[in-house]
Amino acid sequence: MPTLHVDVSCKKCGGRKRLAVGDPGAQPLEEFVHYVVERLSHKPSFECFGGHLELEPPLPEFWEIDWGTLAP
């Protein structure tokens, strides 16, 4: 399966971007999405594509991921 992308918006600055979230390989899609959310939720700091810096994990504080847009 090719690399998957998803639309992400920032609740703080209003920016929106289509981001690559990786290639699930043979992993079931539901399990892959769960691991992506877990990885993003525990990242200690993050620079938003809108330019501001968050010193807390990005989920759920300011990122809103539209999982309905998940596609190659």
Side-chain angles (χ1 to χ4, degrees), residues 4 23 34 69:
L4 296 176
D23 181 352
H34 171 77
T69 65

Side-chain angles (χ1 to χ4, degrees), residues 9-61:
S9 58
C10 178
K11 298 174 191 175
K12 187 171 182 175
C13 69
R16 187 170 177 89
K17 190 171 185 178
R18 186 145 183 86
L19 298 178
V21 291
D23 181 352
Q27 190 175 30
L29 191 56
E30 297 81 19
E31 187 177 320
F32 174 75
V33 168
H34 171 77
Y35 285 121
V36 168
V37 170
E38 283 295 308
R39 187 172 65 236
L40 292 174
S41 296
H42 292 96
K43 194 169 179 175
S45 65
F46 187 79
E47 186 173 346
C48 175
F49 42 82
H52 63 88
L53 180 67
E54 294 289 326
L55 298 177
E56 298 176 12
L59 294 177
E61 284 82 8

